[in-house]
Amino acid sequence: MITGPLDQLTDAQHDLVERARTIARTELRPHAAEWDRRQEYPERSYEILRENGFTGLTVPTEYGGGGWGVFEACLVLEEVAAGCMASAMTIQMQLNGPPRVIARLGSEQQRKQYLPEVVDGTRRFAVAMTEPQAGSDGVALATTLVPNGDDFRLTGTKCFITGALQAHTFLVFCRAPDTSGPDGIGAVLVDAEVEGLGPIETEEKMGGRGVAECVLRFDDAPIRRDQVILEPRPGSKEGASFLIRQFNPERCGNAAMSIGVARAALEDAISYVKEREQFGRPILEFQGIQWKIADMATELDAARLLLWRAARTDVAGFPGIRETAMAKLYANEAAVRVCNEAIQLLGHRGYLTRYPMERYFRDVRGMGIGGGTTEILRNMIASEVTGVRASQRKR
């Protein structure tokens, strides 16, 4: 068992880790290959995690939740992902997504309406930000929220929306009419049964196959004023700032899942090299193998420490931008390197689908794309370090 710096945790945090680890190893991991092969949502995993109180882990206690923070959410997500990435993805949005935004920025009515249902697991969320023309250029949104009397109408297309098929509510980023760039961005809560939402389309993907990526098409969908989290207003850049900050808990969760999968790959590789013999002795005794293991373990500990630093920061209610970007960047790239080396350590077995190594690699490869590409994260880090906000936008 690769444990990392667990001596830094409180007794309560240790208990949380052990509970998540036990569930992941006994209840989730045995079914991970099946969810992947069938590209089937791991509903059974979600129910197990819900029954054990993990869906409401970060909801404030006054709404029935556990009151834990981003840090504890990351502890849980690492353990769950080490057992099954798709299972971790089922609760990522519950722990680090829209419910956290509602708790921080929503109205009291919204908190009372949504948060108890997050706790009991009856309401699931997805974030709808990405659009066909607005990926890394997150403020190039075209989805528009048009005033309609006291309420609004929403029109636009969202793509690559993780878990949209199972979501009951979407946090949709949109803009005011006749605005562009960082001007006039806002966010609304949209229920999945809303009139004007077309049939949800799905995309097949390389990894994380148990939780589909989806396309949402809104056509003049009615939005009540009480569903608005942040009203898009011409001349205001508040929404653009909010868009960047609210993704930081999710990015921390992304890093935690990357570390969890890579840790599973390292643990499996260690078990194999201890048993596999060549030239008359276990291959672990060869110095070249030892160096690979040492580098892999060091990268994982470094990634985890960067993540723990990020998850413990709090800037206006969310983890800091610089710390989060560094953690996700390093965790994403380290996880790919570790999983790639694990495949090499198993030799041709690592390339076969009856072993989990190739699935580990597929699962972590997409993490450096979703939630902010590693290239965009480098731009963010450079801006934070130098104090120079260099725009990539054409002038």
Side-chain angles (χ1 to χ4, degrees):
M1 175 65 64
I2 308 300
T3 57
L6 293 182
D7 58 343
Q8 299 181 21
L9 304 183
T10 66
D11 289 343
Q13 290 166 340
H14 266 292
D15 290 343
L16 192 64
V17 167
E18 287 303 319
R19 279 204 300 128
R21 179 173 293 173
T22 299
I23 291 169
R25 287 189 168 269
T26 61
E27 302 284 351
L28 309 184
R29 178 166 177 148
H31 304 282
E34 177 186 2
W35 302 134
D36 177 79
R37 179 178 57 81
R38 293 164 57 177
Q39 301 186 58
E40 181 179 339
Y41 186 83
E43 186 66 40
R44 180 172 182 265
S45 297
Y46 179 81
E47 287 302 317
I48 291 170
L49 294 167
R50 180 189 65 80
E51 290 166 3
N52 282 272
F54 288 113
T55 57
L57 190 74
T58 59
V59 171
T61 55
E62 56 265 40
Y63 302 100
W68 295 97
V70 175
F71 178 66
E72 288 80 14
C74 288
L75 294 177
V76 168
L77 285 168
E78 177 183 335
E79 296 303 328
V80 176
C84 174
M85 167 68 94
S87 298
M89 293 172 71
T90 69
I91 60 168
Q92 155 79 322
M93 283 296 102
Q94 307 300 96
L95 299 181
N96 290 320
R100 183 173 296 281
V101 173
I102 294 169
R104 290 284 188 173
L105 302 175
S107 67
E108 185 60 20
Q109 176 188 341
Q110 290 167 342
R111 295 188 191 105
K112 289 180 177 178
Q113 177 183 351
Y114 292 110
L115 296 184
E117 293 180 344
V118 175
V119 174
D120 65 23
T122 58
R123 185 170 296 271
R124 308 182 205 188
F125 286 87
V127 172
M129 186 190 81
T130 304
E131 299 182 4
Q133 78 295 335
S136 292
D137 187 3
V139 297
L141 301 177
T143 298
T144 305
L145 190 70
V146 179
N148 182 47
D150 291 335
D151 298 314
F152 302 89
R153 294 278 177 168
L154 181 73
T155 298
T157 299
K158 300 291 183 177
C159 60
F160 312 139
I161 310 306
T162 305
L165 276 178
Q166 288 73 34
H168 303 98
T169 302
F170 309 109
L171 176 65
V172 181
F173 285 87
C174 50
R175 66 167 59 258
D178 303 318
T179 62
S180 62
D183 177 43
I185 291 176
V188 296
L189 295 168
V190 183
D191 291 337
E193 66 271 15
V194 68
E195 178 185 352
L197 173 61
I200 296 177
E201 305 165 30
T202 61
E203 302 262 16
E204 291 193 11
K205 56 181 177 174
M206 176 179 171
R209 287 152 54 92
V211 182
E213 306 293 317
C214 305
V215 177
L216 307 177
R217 303 184 192 279
F218 298 99
D219 183 12
D220 207 32
I223 305 297
R224 302 187 309 275
R225 181 165 289 277
D226 63 14
Q227 293 176 291
V228 175
I229 288 286
L230 183 65
E231 183 175 347
R233 298 183 184 278
S236 172
K237 293 183 172 59
E238 181 183 1
S241 175
F242 162 63
L243 184 153
I244 293 171
R245 288 185 294 112
Q246 71 84 34
F247 263 104
N248 286 342
E250 182 185 345
R251 285 173 172 151
C252 286
N254 174 304
M257 291 189 290
S258 299
I259 292 166
V261 175
R263 194 191 84 201
L266 176 55
E267 290 173 351
D268 286 2
I270 290 173
S271 295
Y272 178 78
V273 299
K274 284 180 176 180
E275 297 174 359
R276 173 67 170 168
E277 291 191 0
Q278 290 286 271
F279 306 100
R281 58 177 173 157
I283 63 174
L284 178 57
E285 295 181 8
F286 293 105
Q287 187 179 64
I289 301 296
Q290 293 173 354
W291 286 6
K292 285 181 181 291
I293 296 293
D295 289 345
M296 294 159 75
T298 300
E299 287 213 83
L300 282 184
D301 269 18
R304 186 179 292 106
L305 289 169
L306 280 170
L307 172 60
W308 285 15
R309 182 185 70 165
R312 285 167 163 157
T313 61
D314 190 316
V315 180
F318 298 96
I321 291 174
R322 169 178 171 162
E323 295 86 354
T324 300
M326 286 181 171
K328 183 180 183 297
L329 167 64
Y330 194 83
N332 290 162
E333 295 188 346
V336 169
R337 290 191 293 268
V338 168
C339 290
N340 188 53
E341 287 285 29
I343 291 173
Q344 191 71 16
L345 288 171
L346 265 70
H348 198 72
R349 288 173 178 80
Y351 201 64
L352 299 179
T353 58
R354 66 188 174 101
Y355 295 93
M357 289 300 180
E358 59 84 29
R359 170 166 49 85
Y360 295 153
F361 183 87
R362 288 189 287 105
D363 283 348
V364 299
R365 184 59 187 86
M367 304 305 276
I369 299 172
T373 66
T374 51
E375 293 80 11
I376 287 296
L377 295 175
R378 283 184 164 87
N379 292 341
M380 294 170 62
I381 293 166
S383 294
E384 291 292 315
V385 170
T386 65
V388 177
R389 302 292 186 260
S391 175
Q392 310 297 311
R393 188 176 300 281
K394 182 179 179 180
R395 296 177 182 177

